[in-house]
Amino acid sequence: MSTTATTTSEEVSSNEWEVIHMSEQEEDLIHRMYNLVGDKWNLIAGRIPGRKAEEIERFWIMRHTHTFSVTKNQSKAKDS
């Protein structure tokens, strides 16, 4: 008799992420810290009270992915 464990995935598609709102000061601090330490989200989160590393990483990904897609679309329009 063998038993197999079933696992459920907790991963969520980035399309399902809720928008994370940061204050201007939080955004500035995240950008400055990222330039200093890179993607060390736990270290950055330690400087922003009430924010989790996952939340800051998700904010960063969403912000920079959007910027990339807008820039990419603009360059395609210029080439046409």
Side-chain angles (χ1 to χ4, degrees):
M1 178 178 190
S2 68
T3 59
T4 57
T6 58
T7 59
T8 57
S9 176
E10 294 293 326
E11 292 182 23
V12 176
S13 167
S14 61
N15 293 333
E16 298 173 12
W17 286 349
E18 290 184 29
V19 175
I20 298 172
H21 299 283
M22 297 278 181
S23 70
E24 192 174 317
Q25 292 84 7
E26 288 173 321
E27 286 188 42
D28 181 56
L29 183 56
I30 291 168
H31 284 278
R32 288 187 291 128
M33 289 292 295
Y34 185 86
N35 287 335
L36 288 171
V37 301
D39 62 355
K40 294 183 175 20
W41 307 118
N42 284 324
L43 184 62
I44 296 171
R47 301 287 182 199
I48 304 174
R51 297 290 187 177
K52 297 178 185 174
E54 297 82 14
E55 188 177 24
I56 293 171
E57 181 179 13
R58 190 175 305 157
F59 167 79
W60 185 264
I61 291 168
M62 291 174 77
R63 177 59 64 97
H64 289 277
T65 299
H66 174 70
T67 302
F68 175 77
S69 66
V70 169
T71 304
K72 188 175 179 181
N73 290 337
Q74 287 174 348
S75 66
K76 280 184 181 178
K78 287 180 184 178
D79 293 340
S80 299

